Amino acid sequence: MATTSFSPSAAIRAPSTSSFGRHLDVSRRIRLPLTRPLAPAARWGAQRHVAPFRLTARRLSVRCGALVQIDQSEFPAEVLGSDIPVLVEFVADWCGPCRLISSVVEWASQEYKGRLKVVKIDHDANPKLITEYKVYGLPTLILFKNGQEVPESRREGAITKVKLKEYLDNFLEPTSVV
């Protein structure tokens, strides 16, 4: 019968390649720097060298092709005085979800042409409307009929084309009780 002896060095060993120990193995982690290290002269402002793959931030504006972009002076005439329902989208240039849904809202303005007017209002340029309608999140969609906000029509955040179609059909189609 073979006997095994205990050795302290055998008790402390490197992580195994088993499925349990694989995620604990520090040597498998890969870390890539965002920029290359700077030369000593560059650290003091003489010369800067940035890696070519570094991302630069740029300001994108919200597209407004077939939509009407209005401000708070035009709001009473365009929205409150409209004969057809109006979908108001509160947006900002710096808002990522606003840029994300801009094509979906533009699609809705074309799809429901004649039955629905779609307008955009810039959040930063119209603080009175933001305060009056209590717009806390962007993008915010509010539906107006006969000069008043439709109850429970407020929608905040990004929305898909399918969800926007369901949302609009729910409020635009007349409901009949049988």
Side-chain angles (χ1 to χ4, degrees):
M1 179 159 127
T3 60
T4 58
S5 63
F6 176 77
S7 72
S9 62
I12 303 172
R13 62 178 178 222
S16 68
T17 56
S18 69
S19 62
F20 176 73
R22 193 174 303 148
H23 71 280
L24 298 175
D25 190 2
V26 179
S27 66
R28 291 180 183 250
R29 293 185 188 157
I30 298 172
R31 294 182 184 165
L32 298 174
L34 291 177
T35 60
R36 293 182 192 156
L38 299 175
R43 289 189 189 123
W44 303 106
Q47 171 184 0
R48 271 195 98 98
H49 179 46
V50 179
F53 55 84
R54 185 172 181 165
L55 300 175
T56 58
R58 61 181 177 156
R59 189 177 175 129
L60 298 173
S61 62
V62 177
R63 290 187 315 132
C64 196
L67 305 178
V68 179
Q69 187 158 1
I70 63 171
D71 60 6
Q72 52 201 20
S73 65
E74 300 168 317
F75 187 81
E78 291 287 331
V79 177
L80 302 179
S82 178
D83 297 335
I84 61 175
V86 181
L87 178 66
V88 178
E89 180 190 19
F90 291 91
V91 296
D93 288 343
W94 47 263
C95 171
C98 298
R99 290 192 303 263
L100 183 69
I101 72 164
S102 66
S103 62
V104 174
V105 174
E106 193 167 324
W107 166 84
S109 71
Q110 295 295 325
E111 182 75 16
Y112 294 94
K113 196 172 206 165
R115 294 178 27 202
L116 177 72
K117 181 192 281 187
V118 182
V119 298
K120 287 190 178 198
I121 297 177
D122 184 28
H123 175 273
D124 299 329
N126 301 290
K128 286 174 66 178
L129 288 175
I130 300 303
T131 305
E132 182 179 346
Y133 290 100
K134 297 176 178 74
V135 176
Y136 298 121
L138 291 178
T140 297
L141 301 173
I142 304 175
L143 190 67
F144 287 83
K145 278 186 184 177
N146 302 323
Q148 295 182 351
E149 180 180 341
V150 176
E152 300 180 14
S153 71
R154 183 178 295 254
R155 174 89 189 216
E156 292 182 357
I159 188 170
T160 64
K161 185 190 282 189
V162 173
K163 291 288 185 184
L164 182 61
K165 184 168 177 41
E166 290 174 8
Y167 165 81
L168 292 174
D169 288 343
N170 185 32
F171 289 110
L172 293 178
E173 297 300 320
T175 56
S176 59
V177 179
V178 180

